[in-house]
């Protein structure tokens, strides 16, 4: 049985991996199966594979991607994602770099990502 917090990483991704994930998952369990992927392409592959097998995405399979994209919104059902604020991250990084070049000591700054809830995690 695959636990609810399965993670699929892009560099580990191949068609054999998803077939193994499918075989090891207890689809008869009353609990949903959660898959967290770290890339848009992996999210779309997982989405398409399980949808073609008749798995109900958003009910039996809860799918989240760490890489938001318009393509995840266009999938049906749309895929939940964590959106990274790249513009803000770049601005903060450049500001800190310039400050350090001028001899100032910089501290860590945490930038909060945004959870975009879509149909792939709704019941």
């Amino acid at each position: 049985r695959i636990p609810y917090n399965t993670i699929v990483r892009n560099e580990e991704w191949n068609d054999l991996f998803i077939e193994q994930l499918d075989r090891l998952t207890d689809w008869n369990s009353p609990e949903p199966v959660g898959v967290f992927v770290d890339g848009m392409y992996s999210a779309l592959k997982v989405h398409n594979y399980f949808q073609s097998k008749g798995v109900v995405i958003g009910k039996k399979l809860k799918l989240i991607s760490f890489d938001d994209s318009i393509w995840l919104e266009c999938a049906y059902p749309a895929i939940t994602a964590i959106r990274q604020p790249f513009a803000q991250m770049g601005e903060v990084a450049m500001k800190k770099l310039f400050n350090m070049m001028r001899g100032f000591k910089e501290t860590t700054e945490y930038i909060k990502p945004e959870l975009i809830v879509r149909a792939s995690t709704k019941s």
Side-chain angles (χ1 to χ4, degrees):
R1 176 176 148 106
I2 298 294
Y4 187 74
N5 59 348
T6 299
I7 297 174
V8 178
R9 296 178 50 87
N10 270 334
E11 60 267 11
E12 297 170 352
W13 182 261
N14 62 45
D15 292 334
L16 180 61
F17 178 82
I18 197 164
E19 290 170 11
Q20 290 172 342
L21 175 66
D22 188 13
R23 282 196 311 272
L24 294 172
T25 301
D26 181 4
W27 293 110
N28 295 319
S29 168
E31 296 298 317
V33 175
V35 178
F36 183 86
V37 297
D38 71 351
M40 173 194 64
Y41 298 111
S42 294
L44 291 169
K45 283 188 111 174
V46 168
H47 181 279
N48 292 341
Y49 176 86
F50 285 109
Q51 194 170 50
S52 73
K53 296 286 190 177
V55 174
V56 180
I57 298 171
K59 293 189 188 280
K60 186 60 184 173
L61 175 66
K62 306 289 187 171
L63 180 59
I64 302 174
S65 174
F66 193 70
D67 181 18
D68 192 25
S69 162
I70 187 70
W71 297 109
L72 300 182
E73 189 175 346
C74 293
Y76 184 80
I79 302 170
T80 294
I82 298 173
R83 182 177 293 158
Q84 302 300 311
F86 292 116
Q88 183 184 6
M89 291 164 60
E91 283 180 34
V92 169
M94 290 308 296
K95 181 186 91 175
K96 289 181 176 297
L97 176 63
F98 288 136
N99 283 343
M100 290 183 336
M101 289 169 60
R102 290 187 292 217
F104 296 105
K105 183 172 172 72
E106 284 292 331
T107 60
T108 301
E109 185 171 337
Y110 294 97
I111 300 172
K112 186 176 179 182
E114 179 182 5
L115 177 63
I116 309 299
V117 179
R118 298 188 180 114
S120 71
T121 55
K122 293 181 180 177
S123 295

